[in-house]
Amino acid sequence: MDHKPNQLSGGQQQRVAIARALVNDPVMILADEATGNLDTKTTYEIMNLFQELNGKGKTIVFVTHEPDIAAMSKRTITLRDGLIIDDSIIKEPQKASKVLSEFLANNNIAQ
C-alpha cells in the first residue's frame, strides 16, 4: 500500500493484476503472457495460483510461448499463423506446487 506501481517487483505487479482481475468474481480470467517477464520462482508461484483458482472453478485462459508452462494446463490449444494446429487434453498436468518445490530444493532457495 505504501508503494507506487513502479516501485513493485514484476511478481508483485503480476499479483496485483491478478487480484484486480478477481475483485468482481469473474467466471473467466484472460492471462496473456502473465509470466513472460518473471523469474522462474515467481513464474511457478503464479502458475500455482492459477491452478488453485482453476481448482476452485475459475476458467483460466492462459497465453504462453513456454512449453514447460503450458504443460501445467489441463488443455493446450496451439496456434500458428492464427490457425489451430493442435488441441490437446492433458490428463495429468504438471502440478506447479511440485515444480516450484523441486526448483527451490535444487537451487537451495528458501520458500
Side-chain angles (χ1 to χ4, degrees):
M1 286 180 50
D2 297 326
H3 293 87
K4 294 183 180 185
N6 66 348
Q7 295 174 311
L8 300 174
S9 71
Q12 290 168 327
Q13 290 178 20
Q14 286 301 106
R15 287 182 185 90
V16 169
I18 292 166
R20 276 194 336 250
L22 294 172
V23 166
N24 292 320
D25 195 28
V27 175
M28 180 185 301
I29 298 168
L30 303 175
D32 185 9
E33 293 288 351
T35 62
N37 295 316
L38 302 178
D39 62 89
T40 304
K41 178 181 181 246
T42 305
T43 292
Y44 296 150
E45 290 171 342
I46 296 294
M47 291 307 297
N48 186 51
L49 175 60
F50 281 145
Q51 285 181 337
E52 288 175 1
L53 291 169
N54 183 249
K56 293 178 181 176
K58 298 291 180 199
T59 298
I60 313 289
V61 177
F62 189 89
V63 177
T64 185
H65 290 92
E66 302 174 56
D68 59 322
I69 300 303
M72 295 180 196
S73 66
K74 294 179 184 177
R75 180 179 179 187
T76 302
I77 300 172
T78 305
L79 301 172
R80 180 167 291 130
D81 298 326
L83 300 173
I84 295 174
I85 61 168
D86 187 50
D87 185 351
S88 303
I89 302 295
I90 301 174
K91 292 182 181 178
E92 297 206 23
Q94 288 185 5
K95 299 282 185 204
S97 59
K98 181 179 179 195
V99 175
L100 175 60
S101 294
E102 290 171 357
F103 172 78
L104 296 174
N106 291 337
N107 293 284
N108 297 317
I109 301 172
Q111 288 190 354

